[in-house]
């Protein structure tokens, strides 16, 4: 068992220290230093959060369609790329909006806003005619 104190800095700048325990079967402390195991565990949960967001929000209960390993690889990489693009867009928004906090951004709303921008293509061609609809640009 690894026992550690974790310091968490909150959005308002206050900090909290909390005890934390990690139970592991990796008993060789020289081969598996406690600090590295804690860091790996933290990264694992970041990955779990990413996959949960993809499964619960982006896929919305649907399954991957490919029937081959290369096709599945391609679908997973496409989902990860879209996820990363959305997270980077949120980070850019937070960086340019004073007082905004990344943890206050809903991934679901972020995904819906991006989907709306792609499907509506609002103001993409502001002075031209949309090639697929024949209508002029701007909101409809």
């Amino acid at each position: 068992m690894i026992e550690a104190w974790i310091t968490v800095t909150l959005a308002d700048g206050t900090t909290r220290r909390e005890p934390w325990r990690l139970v592991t079967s990796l008993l060789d402390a020289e081969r598996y230093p406690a600090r590295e195991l804690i860091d790996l565990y933290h990264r694992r949960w970041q990955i779990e959060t990413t996959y949960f967001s993809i499964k619960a929000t982006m896929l919305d209960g649907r399954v991957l369609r490919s029937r081959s390993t290369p096709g599945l690889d391609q679908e997973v990489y496409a989902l990860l790329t879209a996820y990363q693009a959305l997270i980077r867009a949120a980070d850019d928004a937070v960086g340019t909006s004073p007082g905004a906090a990344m943890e206050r951004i809903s991934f679901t709303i972020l995904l819906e806003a991006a989907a709306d921008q792609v499907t509506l293509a609002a103001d993409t061609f502001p002075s031209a005619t949309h090639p697929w609809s024949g209508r002029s640009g701007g909101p409809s």
Side-chain angles (χ1 to χ4, degrees), residues 53-60 62 79 82-83 86-87 90 105-119:
S53 293
I54 289 171
K55 285 171 39 179
T57 308
M58 294 175 78
L59 289 174
D60 194 26
R62 295 182 306 267
L79 287 165
Y83 176 86
L86 290 169
I87 294 301
I105 295 177
S106 161
F107 186 77
T108 303
I109 303 259
L110 188 63
L111 179 63
E112 289 172 3
D116 287 347
Q117 285 297 311
V118 169
T119 57

Side-chain angles (χ1 to χ4, degrees), residues 11-33:
D12 65 0
T14 60
T15 58
R16 276 190 346 215
R17 268 192 98 195
E18 297 178 0
W20 193 77
R21 288 189 180 113
L22 173 66
V23 178
T24 180
S25 61
L26 303 173
L27 302 177
D28 186 347
E30 287 190 31
R31 189 169 178 194
Y32 307 107

Side-chain angles (χ1 to χ4, degrees), residues 46-66:
Q46 288 177 317
I47 293 166
E48 293 287 338
T49 301
T50 298
Y51 281 120
F52 177 79
S53 293
I54 289 171
K55 285 171 39 179
T57 308
M58 294 175 78
L59 289 174
D60 194 26
R62 295 182 306 267
V63 296
L64 299 177
R65 300 172 302 197
S66 296

